[in-house]
Amino acid sequence: MVGAATALAMPPTGAVAWPVIFLTFPVLVWLIDGAGSGGGRGIKAAAGIGWWFGFGYFLAGLWWVGMAFLVDADKFAWLLPVAVAGLPAGLALFTAAGTALARALWLPGPARVLALAVGLTAAEWLRGHILTGFPWNSFGYALAQDLRLAQGAALGGLWSLTFLAVALGALPAVLGDAPRDTARPWRWVGLGAAVFAGLFAFGAVRLATTEVGTVEGVRLRLMQPNLPQDLKFRYAAKDAVMAHYLKLSGDLSGPARPKITHLIWPESAFPFFLSREPDVLAKIAELLPEGAVLVTGAARAEERPDLGPRRYDVYNAVQIVDARGTIIATADKVHLVPFGEFLPFQATLESLGLEQLTRVQGGFSAGSRRRALVVPGAPLALPLICFEVIFPGNAVPGGPRPTWMLNLTNDGWFGDTAGPHQHFSQARVRAIEEGMPVVRAANTGISGVVDPLGRVVARLDLGMEGILDADLPKSVAAPFYAQLSDAIPAALWCSGLLIVIFTRRAQQAASTAKLS
């Protein structure tokens, strides 16, 4: 129950309910306080507490993942219980490891809240990296629900916010202690309040004083078609899909000012390979005025003659089409979704009759590396397809630094649930971390333009059909996190660990002196 209640700190309820962490993390501290005694026994008990906390948290926060298995229900519905319960059960192993580490460092008194922050932050970082990583709803996003507190991501990124969310959230637990010096818990609470106030003040000042302009000569139009997910798989729906897209995109060559320079469609927009449909490219050419381009998600096939005739790799890509109907640039998705776009041990599981949700024979292939995208008429862009935008510190490639992030996604798999709200919220934090605006086009929503401070400039809500016109915000100077990556959260984590270790030693020395 305590873990499930913590999920209220995440969208769509997080905007008002994120302070729930000041109630739930103290309970977790008290539960670990009572986690057995004697080395291994206490650690094992704490791991069990952590697992149940994590299971409740992920079950309440990620139940919507099961909706994807109902899109093609006759094929995948039987996997619904596995997804809804199995994913939280697996992710909860990380929380269990975090509380076990915390219990190994546990000590009487206020410093144990730092032990919990050290343990859970390490576990969350591992969750974001092991087995391709899945840092969805990391605890730090609780603080990011307030835009002023979210500015802390510019300093130390998501992992610093995670450390602070756990440490500050757990701090009320010390008020129930019975200290030798009655003022001691209040000193810790006062220090925590000062840190919280400093973070809040930094964010408020940054939002009030940072000027963000717009890129001259760039006018975006985001198209949100709100297509049923199953329609996007059917080649027979090709004409209906294209007619819908063209009509919804509107007249780009009319007298309206400012003129649209970049039309943006969402991820995997077509139930076909765009490069193999010259009639579709011709219709796009008719739609685009001279000088304008279409930036769209599209699957693309690359022949593999080395594997035999009619063999090819399929990529989830961003493609740019010019006013002549020519595909002039492509960027492939690098970080694929396990079980959605590929299967672990693909050949073996396919031989057993299993498929990934996208039902692409052999699964999607990953791009060789993340690269910036040259978009005619706009600054250098960083394409991030679907959940590639949720990975902190791993978004920007080497070479010339892009100045905006292009996030094409299709959250239609998950219907009108919490998932798309959480996805959009995490994209906002990437904007703050990198100091770049995010332009996000989603099939069913949420589409929008977010400035480099995380402010939503324009937005189309979930389940809406329509277009959204907006200017492209400029980037700001690269924040500390963009320059130093995980160095600041690592320093924060090490500082917490050292405080815990030295406090333990001081307590042990005092205890020994008292006995002697």
Side-chain angles (χ1 to χ4, degrees), residues 285-433:
E286 292 176 5
L287 174 70
L288 296 174
E290 188 63 34
V293 296
L294 167 68
V295 184
T296 182
R300 73 174 190 89
E302 186 174 288
E303 293 186 4
R304 290 288 305 275
D306 57 309
L307 298 180
R310 304 184 68 179
R311 297 292 298 272
Y312 51 85
D313 289 334
V314 178
Y315 296 88
N316 190 352
V318 176
Q319 297 190 317
I320 300 179
V321 183
D322 67 12
R324 294 181 294 278
T326 302
I327 298 174
I328 58 174
T330 293
D332 298 323
K333 186 176 183 180
V334 175
H335 203 142
L336 301 178
V337 180
F339 300 99
E341 293 171 310
F342 76 98
L343 295 175
F345 311 107
Q346 184 83 38
T348 300
L349 292 182
E350 280 191 339
S351 69
L352 297 175
L354 296 179
E355 299 178 275
Q356 62 279 343
L357 290 173
T358 49
R359 304 189 71 171
V360 173
Q361 182 67 29
F364 279 96
S365 297
S368 58
R369 63 182 178 88
R370 184 162 288 112
R371 65 189 71 193
L373 186 64
V374 177
V375 182
L380 198 63
L382 176 63
L384 298 169
I385 300 176
C386 189
F387 88 151
E388 286 186 316
V389 79
I390 74 170
F391 294 92
N394 191 34
V396 180
R401 179 175 168 82
T403 61
W404 59 295
M405 290 182 272
L406 175 67
N407 181 213
L408 304 187
T409 189
N410 175 24
D411 291 344
W413 293 98
F414 309 113
D416 187 4
T417 65
H421 295 277
Q422 294 168 4
H423 201 180
F424 186 77
S425 175
Q426 293 174 50
R428 292 178 68 187
V429 176
R430 295 295 85 72
I432 299 168
E433 288 175 342

Side-chain angles (χ1 to χ4, degrees), residues 14-380:
V16 294
W18 69 265
V20 73
I21 62 174
F22 295 105
L23 301 176
T24 57
F25 281 128
V27 174
L28 182 58
V29 170
W30 294 326
L31 289 171
I32 297 174
D33 281 340
S37 61
R41 181 182 172 189
I43 291 173
K44 183 177 179 180
I49 290 168
W51 187 88
W52 281 109
F53 182 93
F55 181 72
Y57 177 71
F58 293 118
L59 183 65
L62 296 176
W63 63 268
W64 48 267
V65 171
M67 298 294 292
F69 295 85
L70 299 179
V71 171
D72 200 352
D74 60 332
K75 186 74 175 177
F76 296 110
W78 67 276
L79 287 170
L80 180 63
V82 178
V84 171
L87 179 62
L91 295 177
L93 294 174
F94 290 97
T95 316
T99 52
L101 174 58
R103 187 63 178 81
L105 298 169
W106 213 246
L107 68 167
R112 70 194 192 282
V113 302
L114 289 181
L116 183 62
V118 166
L120 288 184
T121 302
E124 290 291 272
W125 187 90
L126 290 173
R127 180 163 72 89
H129 291 80
I130 290 179
L131 299 176
T132 81
F134 189 62
W136 198 283
N137 280 3
S138 187
F139 296 128
Y141 286 117
L143 294 183
Q145 299 311 298
D146 184 291
L147 190 57
R148 291 155 297 194
L149 297 175
Q151 300 307 306
L155 299 176
L158 173 63
W159 306 123
S160 290
L161 290 181
T162 296
F163 185 92
L164 292 174
V166 177
L168 296 175
L171 199 53
V174 309
L175 296 178
D177 293 349
R180 289 162 292 179
D181 174 2
T182 56
R184 189 177 174 194
W186 289 105
R187 293 172 185 168
W188 280 78
V189 172
L191 177 61
V195 171
F196 184 89
L199 185 64
F200 187 92
F202 166 78
V205 170
R206 188 170 191 258
L207 289 168
T209 60
T210 305
E211 294 184 4
V212 178
T214 58
V215 178
E216 187 176 351
V218 175
R219 184 67 173 173
L220 310 173
R221 172 167 291 178
L222 282 59
M223 187 272 291
Q224 183 170 296
N226 199 34
L227 281 180
Q229 182 61 24
D230 57 349
L231 195 67
K232 294 170 71 67
F233 289 136
R234 302 205 305 264
Y235 183 79
K238 165 189 166 182
D239 292 338
V241 168
M242 282 309 303
H244 183 62
Y245 285 1
L246 296 172
K247 180 180 180 180
L248 191 58
S249 296
D251 183 7
L252 278 67
S253 57
R257 294 291 186 273
K259 285 188 175 295
I260 301 299
T261 58
H262 297 81
L263 175 63
I264 302 176
W265 292 352
E267 176 193 11
S268 301
F270 314 104
F272 49 80
F273 297 125
L274 180 60
S275 62
R276 298 185 178 185
E277 301 290 339
D279 58 323
V280 172
L281 290 170
K283 291 177 181 178
I284 292 173
E286 292 176 5
L287 174 70
L288 296 174
E290 188 63 34
V293 296
L294 167 68
V295 184
T296 182
R300 73 174 190 89
E302 186 174 288
E303 293 186 4
R304 290 288 305 275
D306 57 309
L307 298 180
R310 304 184 68 179
R311 297 292 298 272
Y312 51 85
D313 289 334
V314 178
Y315 296 88
N316 190 352
V318 176
Q319 297 190 317
I320 300 179
V321 183
D322 67 12
R324 294 181 294 278
T326 302
I327 298 174
I328 58 174
T330 293
D332 298 323
K333 186 176 183 180
V334 175
H335 203 142
L336 301 178
V337 180
F339 300 99
E341 293 171 310
F342 76 98
L343 295 175
F345 311 107
Q346 184 83 38
T348 300
L349 292 182
E350 280 191 339
S351 69
L352 297 175
L354 296 179
E355 299 178 275
Q356 62 279 343
L357 290 173
T358 49
R359 304 189 71 171
V360 173
Q361 182 67 29
F364 279 96
S365 297
S368 58
R369 63 182 178 88
R370 184 162 288 112
R371 65 189 71 193
L373 186 64
V374 177
V375 182
L380 198 63

